[in-house]
């Protein structure tokens, strides 16, 4: 069912949803949750199940804000304790996100297939979201020992370093640290949008990649950038991209919000 709830795009901007949209949600919760009927299931559980269904069916889309605790209680004729307990359970399931000073919103969860080599911008555009970038640092310098080994360069060779905050609909999704040989990208100023579009224009678009993913937690600095709590789950992905001839063209370490990203792999049983 279509909905036009406004995405919660920043941590300090929390416009209430329009009354027609709230009315649609309230009607759904009353019907789905059977809130006015007798049931052995606890009332907050019924409301929680109805909210979960509203999210899964897209009545309240990813990134959208839900009405506040007080408004839900009034419109549904429930106690605030009942509403609070229902929401608390969904926050623990990471279906809802609560940020200080902002309304509760539906978590932005994105599936990224691990079998397809795509850029962040391509991932977001394929999902109907607007990709964005905030530059944290960009520079040209000499490769250190670790960079030279990873990229197959001589010590002291020129490299281009990119440090970016990646966004979807202006919501922080990931922090990326990339380093490329300067022969492929002599200046970060050449990047106007997507890095891979720039590399393709220069005739050095990578065609394969080796990826490793591991779990970690957010540092205080990362938490501020990603608008999450310090110590919140992080998915770290290291990707080494190469050309057809095997030359490594990019080494990237990305730190994804654990509450927003799922990495998906399709497996087949060996016959």
């Amino acid at each position: 069912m279509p909905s036009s709830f406004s995405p919660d795009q920043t941590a300090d901007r929390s416009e209430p949803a329009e009354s027609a949209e709230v009315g649609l949600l309230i009607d759904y919760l009353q019907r789905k949750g059977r809130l006015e009927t007798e049931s052995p299931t606890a009332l907050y559980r019924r409301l929680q199940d109805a909210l979960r269904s509203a999210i899964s069916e897209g009545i309240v889309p990813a990134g959208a804000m839900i009405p506040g605790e007080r408004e839900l209680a009034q419109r549904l004729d429930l106690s605030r304790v009942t509403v609070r307990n229902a929401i608390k359970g969904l926050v623990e399931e990471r279906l809802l996100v609560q940020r200080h000073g902002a309304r509760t919103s539906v978590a932005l969860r994105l599936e990224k297939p691990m079998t397809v080599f795509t850029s962040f911008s391509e991932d977001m555009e394929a999902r109907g979201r607007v990709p964005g970038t905030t530059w944290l640092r960009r520079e040209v310098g000499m490769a250190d020992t670790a960079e030279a080994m990873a990229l197959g360069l001589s010590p002291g060779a020129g490299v281009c370093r990119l440090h970016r905050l990646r966004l979807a609909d202006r919501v922080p999704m990931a922090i990326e640290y990339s380093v490329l040989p300067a022969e492929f990208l002599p200046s970060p100023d050449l990047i106007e949008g997507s890095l891979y579009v720039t590399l393709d224009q220069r005739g050095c678009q990578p065609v394969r990649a080796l990826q490793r993913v591991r779990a970690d937690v957010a540092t205080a600095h990362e938490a501020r950038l990603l608008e999450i709590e310090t110590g919140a789950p992080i998915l770290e992905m290291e990707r080494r991209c190469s050309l057809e001839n095997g030359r490594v063209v990019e080494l990237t370490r990305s730190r994804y919000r654990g509450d927003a990203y799922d990495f998906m792999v399709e497996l087949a049983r060996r016959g």
Side-chain angles (χ1 to χ4, degrees):
M1 184 178 298
S3 172
S4 55
F5 276 84
S6 300
D8 177 15
Q9 295 178 329
T10 61
D12 57 0
R13 184 179 301 168
S14 52
E15 296 293 332
E18 295 179 8
S19 58
E21 298 161 352
V22 173
L24 180 66
L25 175 62
I26 295 299
D27 179 66
Y28 179 90
L29 295 177
Q30 288 173 331
R31 289 186 291 104
K32 190 74 174 181
R34 299 169 289 109
L35 303 179
E36 298 176 355
T37 63
E38 293 293 330
S39 172
T41 305
L43 191 54
Y44 85 91
R45 289 281 191 187
R46 281 181 272 156
L47 175 59
Q48 190 176 93
D49 290 342
L51 275 169
R52 188 184 293 108
S53 295
I55 294 170
S56 66
E57 293 181 21
I59 291 175
V60 189
M65 296 175 288
I66 66 171
E69 182 183 293
R70 176 179 297 178
E71 182 177 359
L72 279 176
Q74 290 175 344
R75 297 287 295 271
L76 295 171
D77 194 23
L78 300 173
S79 72
R80 291 187 65 176
V81 172
T82 296
V83 174
R84 185 179 302 125
N85 286 337
I87 290 175
K88 179 182 177 183
L90 296 179
V91 170
E92 291 173 351
E93 292 178 27
R94 297 181 185 170
L95 289 178
L96 293 177
V97 177
Q98 289 181 322
R99 298 193 185 100
H100 180 69
R103 283 180 179 266
T104 301
S105 62
V106 179
L108 278 167
R109 296 206 68 85
L110 301 168
E111 287 187 349
K112 180 176 177 61
M114 293 289 285
T115 54
V116 181
F117 180 24
T118 56
S119 69
F120 179 88
S121 296
E122 290 169 336
D123 287 341
M124 297 304 103
E125 290 169 353
R127 290 160 177 78
R129 303 194 181 281
V130 179
T133 296
T134 297
W135 285 100
L136 303 175
R137 192 182 74 224
R138 44 185 166 178
E139 63 182 17
V140 174
M142 293 189 300
D144 60 27
T145 303
E147 291 170 339
M149 289 183 62
L151 295 171
L153 300 174
S154 301
V159 293
C160 185
R161 299 187 184 94
L162 313 173
H163 186 189
R164 299 177 287 176
L165 179 65
R166 309 310 302 270
L167 308 102
D169 295 335
R170 294 190 288 171
V171 177
M173 288 284 111
I175 303 170
E176 286 187 353
Y177 308 84
S178 301
V179 58
L180 300 89
E183 65 178 288
F184 298 127
L185 186 69
S187 170
D189 295 333
L190 295 172
I191 304 173
E192 297 181 357
S194 169
L195 170 62
Y196 290 161
V197 169
T198 301
L199 292 176
D200 188 35
Q201 293 171 344
R202 294 182 55 79
C204 51
Q205 169 76 283
V207 296
R208 61 173 60 90
L210 176 65
Q211 296 187 150
R212 293 184 175 87
V213 179
R214 71 183 184 93
D216 203 354
V217 295
T219 65
H221 175 65
E222 291 171 335
R224 286 193 296 271
L225 291 174
L226 294 173
E227 298 178 8
I228 56 178
E229 298 292 329
T230 301
I234 287 284
L235 286 173
E236 180 177 293
M237 182 182 73
E238 182 179 290
R239 180 160 70 184
R240 192 177 307 183
C241 304
S242 59
L243 304 176
E244 190 68 50
N245 62 8
R247 285 289 312 277
V248 179
V249 68
E250 176 202 12
L251 175 66
T252 293
R253 182 167 64 94
S254 301
R255 305 273 286 176
Y256 292 91
R257 286 174 53 157
D259 66 346
Y261 246 88
D262 290 322
F263 287 92
M264 182 177 63
V265 181
E266 182 177 353
L267 303 175
R269 185 174 177 83
R270 185 178 300 171

Short mmCIF file of all heavy atoms in Angstrom, two decimals, residues 212-257:
data_model
loop_
_atom_site.label_atom_id
_atom_site.label_comp_id
_atom_site.label_asym_id
_atom_site.label_seq_id
_atom_site.Cartn_x
_atom_site.Cartn_y
_atom_site.Cartn_z
N ARG A 212 36.20 -8.91 1.87
CA ARG A 212 36.16 -9.56 3.18
C ARG A 212 35.26 -8.73 4.09
O ARG A 212 35.36 -7.50 4.10
CB ARG A 212 37.56 -9.68 3.79
CG ARG A 212 38.51 -10.62 3.06
CD ARG A 212 39.82 -10.74 3.81
NE ARG A 212 40.72 -11.73 3.20
CZ ARG A 212 41.56 -11.45 2.23
NH1 ARG A 212 41.64 -10.22 1.75
NH2 ARG A 212 42.33 -12.39 1.73
N VAL A 213 34.42 -9.40 4.86
CA VAL A 213 33.50 -8.71 5.76
C VAL A 213 33.68 -9.23 7.17
O VAL A 213 33.84 -10.44 7.38
CB VAL A 213 32.03 -8.92 5.31
CG1 VAL A 213 31.07 -8.22 6.26
CG2 VAL A 213 31.82 -8.41 3.89
N ARG A 214 33.69 -8.33 8.12
CA ARG A 214 33.78 -8.74 9.52
C ARG A 214 32.93 -7.80 10.37
O ARG A 214 32.59 -6.69 9.95
CB ARG A 214 35.23 -8.74 10.01
CG ARG A 214 35.85 -7.38 10.18
CD ARG A 214 37.31 -7.48 10.60
NE ARG A 214 37.91 -6.18 10.86
CZ ARG A 214 37.95 -5.61 12.06
NH1 ARG A 214 37.42 -6.23 13.10
NH2 ARG A 214 38.52 -4.44 12.24
N ALA A 215 32.59 -8.26 11.56
CA ALA A 215 31.78 -7.47 12.48
C ALA A 215 32.70 -6.66 13.40
O ALA A 215 33.79 -7.08 13.76
CB ALA A 215 30.89 -8.38 13.32
N ASP A 216 32.23 -5.48 13.78
CA ASP A 216 32.98 -4.62 14.68
C ASP A 216 31.99 -3.71 15.39
O ASP A 216 30.77 -3.84 15.23
CB ASP A 216 34.03 -3.82 13.91
CG ASP A 216 35.18 -3.34 14.80
OD1 ASP A 216 35.12 -3.54 16.02
OD2 ASP A 216 36.14 -2.76 14.25
N VAL A 217 32.50 -2.77 16.17
CA VAL A 217 31.64 -1.79 16.84
C VAL A 217 32.14 -0.39 16.51
O VAL A 217 33.32 -0.18 16.19
CB VAL A 217 31.61 -2.00 18.37
CG1 VAL A 217 30.98 -3.34 18.71
CG2 VAL A 217 33.02 -1.90 18.96
N ALA A 218 31.25 0.58 16.58
CA ALA A 218 31.57 1.95 16.21
C ALA A 218 32.38 2.65 17.29
O ALA A 218 32.07 2.55 18.49
CB ALA A 218 30.28 2.74 15.95
N THR A 219 33.41 3.36 16.87
CA THR A 219 34.14 4.23 17.79
C THR A 219 33.30 5.48 18.05
O THR A 219 32.30 5.73 17.36
CB THR A 219 35.49 4.63 17.19
OG1 THR A 219 35.25 5.45 16.02
CG2 THR A 219 36.31 3.41 16.80
N ALA A 220 33.73 6.28 19.00
CA ALA A 220 33.00 7.51 19.30
C ALA A 220 32.98 8.44 18.09
O ALA A 220 31.95 9.06 17.79
CB ALA A 220 33.63 8.21 20.51
N HIS A 221 34.10 8.53 17.37
CA HIS A 221 34.17 9.38 16.19
C HIS A 221 33.25 8.86 15.09
O HIS A 221 32.50 9.64 14.46
CB HIS A 221 35.61 9.44 15.68
CG HIS A 221 35.77 10.20 14.41
ND1 HIS A 221 35.52 11.55 14.30
CD2 HIS A 221 36.15 9.79 13.15
CE1 HIS A 221 35.73 11.95 13.06
NE2 HIS A 221 36.11 10.90 12.35
N GLU A 222 33.27 7.56 14.84
CA GLU A 222 32.40 6.97 13.83
C GLU A 222 30.93 7.13 14.20
O GLU A 222 30.09 7.39 13.33
CB GLU A 222 32.74 5.49 13.65
CG GLU A 222 34.10 5.26 13.00
CD GLU A 222 34.51 3.80 13.03
OE1 GLU A 222 34.03 3.06 13.91
OE2 GLU A 222 35.32 3.40 12.17
N ALA A 223 30.62 6.99 15.47
CA ALA A 223 29.24 7.13 15.92
C ALA A 223 28.70 8.52 15.64
O ALA A 223 27.55 8.69 15.22
CB ALA A 223 29.14 6.82 17.42
N ARG A 224 29.53 9.54 15.84
CA ARG A 224 29.09 10.92 15.55
C ARG A 224 28.82 11.09 14.05
O ARG A 224 27.83 11.72 13.67
CB ARG A 224 30.16 11.92 16.01
CG ARG A 224 30.22 12.10 17.52
CD ARG A 224 31.06 13.32 17.89
NE ARG A 224 32.45 13.17 17.49
CZ ARG A 224 33.38 12.61 18.24
NH1 ARG A 224 33.07 12.14 19.44
NH2 ARG A 224 34.63 12.51 17.81
N LEU A 225 29.67 10.54 13.22
CA LEU A 225 29.49 10.68 11.77
C LEU A 225 28.26 9.92 11.28
O LEU A 225 27.52 10.42 10.42
CB LEU A 225 30.73 10.17 11.04
CG LEU A 225 32.01 11.00 11.18
CD1 LEU A 225 33.17 10.27 10.50
CD2 LEU A 225 31.84 12.38 10.57
N LEU A 226 28.03 8.74 11.81
CA LEU A 226 26.95 7.88 11.34
C LEU A 226 25.65 8.09 12.10
O LEU A 226 24.64 7.46 11.79
CB LEU A 226 27.37 6.41 11.44
CG LEU A 226 28.52 5.98 10.52
CD1 LEU A 226 28.95 4.55 10.84
CD2 LEU A 226 28.11 6.09 9.06
N GLU A 227 25.67 8.94 13.12
CA GLU A 227 24.49 9.26 13.92
C GLU A 227 23.94 8.00 14.59
O GLU A 227 22.75 7.71 14.56
CB GLU A 227 23.42 9.93 13.06
CG GLU A 227 23.87 11.26 12.46
CD GLU A 227 22.82 11.91 11.57
OE1 GLU A 227 21.67 11.40 11.54
OE2 GLU A 227 23.14 12.91 10.93
N ILE A 228 24.85 7.24 15.20
CA ILE A 228 24.49 6.05 15.97
C ILE A 228 25.18 6.14 17.32
O ILE A 228 25.93 7.08 17.60
CB ILE A 228 24.90 4.76 15.24
CG1 ILE A 228 26.40 4.76 14.93
CG2 ILE A 228 24.10 4.59 13.95
CD1 ILE A 228 26.90 3.49 14.24
N GLU A 229 24.93 5.16 18.18
CA GLU A 229 25.54 5.14 19.50
C GLU A 229 26.96 4.59 19.44
O GLU A 229 27.26 3.72 18.63
CB GLU A 229 24.70 4.28 20.46
CG GLU A 229 23.29 4.77 20.68
CD GLU A 229 23.24 6.09 21.44
OE1 GLU A 229 24.15 6.31 22.27
OE2 GLU A 229 22.31 6.88 21.21
N THR A 230 27.82 5.11 20.29
CA THR A 230 29.17 4.54 20.42
C THR A 230 29.06 3.08 20.84
O THR A 230 28.30 2.74 21.74
CB THR A 230 29.98 5.32 21.47
OG1 THR A 230 30.07 6.69 21.08
CG2 THR A 230 31.37 4.73 21.63
N GLY A 231 29.78 2.21 20.15
CA GLY A 231 29.71 0.78 20.45
C GLY A 231 28.63 0.06 19.68
O GLY A 231 28.47 -1.16 19.83
N ALA A 232 27.86 0.78 18.84
CA ALA A 232 26.82 0.14 18.04
C ALA A 232 27.46 -0.79 17.00
O ALA A 232 28.61 -0.58 16.60
CB ALA A 232 25.95 1.19 17.35
N PRO A 233 26.74 -1.81 16.54
CA PRO A 233 27.31 -2.75 15.57
C PRO A 233 27.71 -2.07 14.26
O PRO A 233 27.01 -1.20 13.77
CB PRO A 233 26.17 -3.75 15.34
CG PRO A 233 25.30 -3.64 16.53
CD PRO A 233 25.38 -2.20 16.96
N ILE A 234 28.85 -2.50 13.74
CA ILE A 234 29.38 -2.01 12.47
C ILE A 234 29.74 -3.22 11.61
O ILE A 234 30.25 -4.23 12.12
CB ILE A 234 30.66 -1.16 12.70
CG1 ILE A 234 30.31 0.19 13.29
CG2 ILE A 234 31.44 -0.98 11.40
CD1 ILE A 234 29.72 1.18 12.32
N LEU A 235 29.46 -3.13 10.32
CA LEU A 235 29.94 -4.13 9.36
C LEU A 235 31.08 -3.51 8.58
O LEU A 235 30.89 -2.51 7.89
CB LEU A 235 28.82 -4.55 8.42
CG LEU A 235 27.73 -5.46 9.00
CD1 LEU A 235 26.60 -5.65 8.00
CD2 LEU A 235 28.31 -6.81 9.39
N GLU A 236 32.25 -4.08 8.71
CA GLU A 236 33.42 -3.57 7.99
C GLU A 236 33.68 -4.44 6.77
O GLU A 236 33.75 -5.67 6.87
CB GLU A 236 34.65 -3.55 8.87
CG GLU A 236 35.88 -3.02 8.14
CD GLU A 236 37.11 -2.93 9.03
OE1 GLU A 236 37.08 -2.10 9.95
OE2 GLU A 236 38.06 -3.70 8.80
N MET A 237 33.80 -3.80 5.62
CA MET A 237 34.09 -4.52 4.39
C MET A 237 35.38 -3.98 3.78
O MET A 237 35.51 -2.78 3.58
CB MET A 237 32.96 -4.37 3.37
CG MET A 237 33.21 -5.13 2.08
SD MET A 237 31.90 -4.90 0.86
CE MET A 237 32.26 -3.21 0.35
N GLU A 238 36.31 -4.87 3.52
CA GLU A 238 37.54 -4.50 2.82
C GLU A 238 37.45 -5.07 1.41
O GLU A 238 37.20 -6.26 1.23
CB GLU A 238 38.77 -5.06 3.52
CG GLU A 238 40.07 -4.65 2.84
CD GLU A 238 41.30 -5.19 3.54
OE1 GLU A 238 41.60 -4.70 4.64
OE2 GLU A 238 41.94 -6.11 2.99
N ARG A 239 37.63 -4.20 0.42
CA ARG A 239 37.51 -4.63 -0.97
C ARG A 239 38.76 -4.21 -1.76
O ARG A 239 39.17 -3.06 -1.71
CB ARG A 239 36.26 -4.01 -1.61
CG ARG A 239 36.08 -4.41 -3.06
CD ARG A 239 34.66 -4.21 -3.52
NE ARG A 239 34.28 -2.81 -3.63
CZ ARG A 239 33.05 -2.40 -3.95
NH1 ARG A 239 32.08 -3.28 -4.15
NH2 ARG A 239 32.79 -1.13 -4.05
N ARG A 240 39.32 -5.18 -2.47
CA ARG A 240 40.46 -4.92 -3.33
C ARG A 240 40.02 -5.16 -4.77
O ARG A 240 39.68 -6.27 -5.15
CB ARG A 240 41.62 -5.84 -2.96
CG ARG A 240 42.95 -5.46 -3.60
CD ARG A 240 44.06 -6.37 -3.12
NE ARG A 240 44.13 -6.43 -1.67
CZ ARG A 240 45.06 -7.10 -1.00
NH1 ARG A 240 45.99 -7.76 -1.66
NH2 ARG A 240 45.07 -7.11 0.32
N CYS A 241 40.02 -4.10 -5.57
CA CYS A 241 39.52 -4.16 -6.95
C CYS A 241 40.67 -4.18 -7.94
O CYS A 241 41.68 -3.50 -7.74
CB CYS A 241 38.62 -2.96 -7.24
SG CYS A 241 37.24 -2.77 -6.09
N SER A 242 40.47 -4.92 -9.02
CA SER A 242 41.56 -5.05 -10.00
C SER A 242 41.04 -4.96 -11.43
O SER A 242 39.85 -5.13 -11.70
CB SER A 242 42.30 -6.38 -9.81
OG SER A 242 41.41 -7.47 -9.94
N LEU A 243 41.97 -4.69 -12.33
CA LEU A 243 41.68 -4.64 -13.76
C LEU A 243 41.72 -6.04 -14.35
O LEU A 243 42.03 -7.02 -13.66
CB LEU A 243 42.70 -3.75 -14.46
CG LEU A 243 42.86 -2.31 -13.94
CD1 LEU A 243 43.98 -1.61 -14.68
CD2 LEU A 243 41.54 -1.56 -14.09
N GLU A 244 41.42 -6.15 -15.63
CA GLU A 244 41.43 -7.44 -16.30
C GLU A 244 42.81 -8.09 -16.25
O GLU A 244 42.93 -9.32 -16.16
CB GLU A 244 41.00 -7.25 -17.77
CG GLU A 244 40.75 -8.56 -18.50
CD GLU A 244 39.53 -9.28 -17.97
OE1 GLU A 244 38.46 -8.67 -17.82
OE2 GLU A 244 39.66 -10.49 -17.69
N ASN A 245 43.87 -7.26 -16.27
CA ASN A 245 45.23 -7.80 -16.25
C ASN A 245 45.74 -8.10 -14.85
O ASN A 245 46.90 -8.48 -14.67
CB ASN A 245 46.19 -6.84 -16.96
CG ASN A 245 46.28 -5.47 -16.27
OD1 ASN A 245 45.74 -5.28 -15.18
ND2 ASN A 245 46.94 -4.52 -16.92
N GLY A 246 44.88 -7.91 -13.84
CA GLY A 246 45.25 -8.23 -12.47
C GLY A 246 45.80 -7.07 -11.67
O GLY A 246 46.01 -7.20 -10.46
N ARG A 247 46.06 -5.93 -12.31
CA ARG A 247 46.56 -4.77 -11.57
C ARG A 247 45.51 -4.28 -10.58
O ARG A 247 44.36 -4.09 -10.91
CB ARG A 247 46.89 -3.62 -12.53
CG ARG A 247 48.17 -3.80 -13.32
CD ARG A 247 49.42 -3.66 -12.45
NE ARG A 247 49.40 -2.51 -11.60
CZ ARG A 247 49.76 -1.28 -11.98
NH1 ARG A 247 50.16 -1.06 -13.22
NH2 ARG A 247 49.75 -0.28 -11.12
N VAL A 248 45.95 -4.06 -9.35
CA VAL A 248 45.03 -3.54 -8.32
C VAL A 248 44.83 -2.05 -8.53
O VAL A 248 45.80 -1.29 -8.59
CB VAL A 248 45.56 -3.82 -6.91
CG1 VAL A 248 44.59 -3.26 -5.86
CG2 VAL A 248 45.77 -5.31 -6.70
N VAL A 249 43.58 -1.64 -8.66
CA VAL A 249 43.28 -0.24 -8.95
C VAL A 249 42.69 0.49 -7.75
O VAL A 249 42.73 1.72 -7.68
CB VAL A 249 42.32 -0.14 -10.17
CG1 VAL A 249 40.93 -0.68 -9.82
CG2 VAL A 249 42.21 1.29 -10.66
N GLU A 250 42.19 -0.28 -6.77
CA GLU A 250 41.56 0.38 -5.61
C GLU A 250 41.58 -0.54 -4.41
O GLU A 250 41.34 -1.75 -4.52
CB GLU A 250 40.11 0.74 -5.95
CG GLU A 250 39.33 1.34 -4.77
CD GLU A 250 37.82 1.21 -4.93
OE1 GLU A 250 37.38 0.45 -5.82
OE2 GLU A 250 37.09 1.84 -4.16
N LEU A 251 41.85 0.02 -3.26
CA LEU A 251 41.70 -0.67 -1.98
C LEU A 251 40.78 0.19 -1.12
O LEU A 251 41.06 1.36 -0.88
CB LEU A 251 43.05 -0.83 -1.28
CG LEU A 251 43.00 -1.44 0.13
CD1 LEU A 251 42.53 -2.89 0.07
CD2 LEU A 251 44.37 -1.34 0.81
N THR A 252 39.65 -0.38 -0.70
CA THR A 252 38.66 0.38 0.07
C THR A 252 38.29 -0.37 1.33
O THR A 252 38.04 -1.59 1.31
CB THR A 252 37.39 0.64 -0.76
OG1 THR A 252 37.70 1.52 -1.83
CG2 THR A 252 36.30 1.27 0.08
N ARG A 253 38.24 0.36 2.42
CA ARG A 253 37.71 -0.18 3.68
C ARG A 253 36.48 0.64 4.03
O ARG A 253 36.56 1.85 4.22
CB ARG A 253 38.75 -0.10 4.80
CG ARG A 253 38.27 -0.69 6.13
CD ARG A 253 39.43 -0.88 7.09
NE ARG A 253 40.03 0.38 7.47
CZ ARG A 253 39.71 1.07 8.57
NH1 ARG A 253 38.79 0.61 9.41
NH2 ARG A 253 40.31 2.20 8.85
N SER A 254 35.32 -0.03 4.07
CA SER A 254 34.06 0.64 4.34
C SER A 254 33.51 0.19 5.68
O SER A 254 33.56 -1.00 6.02
CB SER A 254 33.03 0.33 3.25
OG SER A 254 33.50 0.72 1.98
N ARG A 255 32.98 1.13 6.44
CA ARG A 255 32.40 0.86 7.75
C ARG A 255 30.90 1.18 7.67
O ARG A 255 30.49 2.34 7.69
CB ARG A 255 33.09 1.71 8.80
CG ARG A 255 34.61 1.56 8.85
CD ARG A 255 35.04 0.43 9.74
NE ARG A 255 34.87 0.78 11.14
CZ ARG A 255 35.10 -0.06 12.15
NH1 ARG A 255 35.48 -1.31 11.89
NH2 ARG A 255 34.94 0.31 13.39
N TYR A 256 30.07 0.14 7.55
CA TYR A 256 28.63 0.30 7.37
C TYR A 256 27.89 0.25 8.70
O TYR A 256 28.24 -0.53 9.59
CB TYR A 256 28.08 -0.82 6.48
CG TYR A 256 28.53 -0.78 5.06
CD1 TYR A 256 29.67 -1.46 4.64
CD2 TYR A 256 27.81 -0.07 4.10
CE1 TYR A 256 30.08 -1.44 3.32
CE2 TYR A 256 28.21 -0.04 2.77
CZ TYR A 256 29.35 -0.73 2.40
OH TYR A 256 29.76 -0.70 1.09
N ARG A 257 26.83 1.04 8.80
CA ARG A 257 25.95 0.96 9.96
C ARG A 257 25.33 -0.44 10.04
O ARG A 257 24.71 -0.93 9.11
CB ARG A 257 24.82 1.97 9.82
CG ARG A 257 25.23 3.39 10.05
CD ARG A 257 24.10 4.34 9.76
NE ARG A 257 22.87 4.00 10.48
CZ ARG A 257 21.91 4.88 10.75
NH1 ARG A 257 22.06 6.14 10.37
NH2 ARG A 257 20.83 4.51 11.38
#
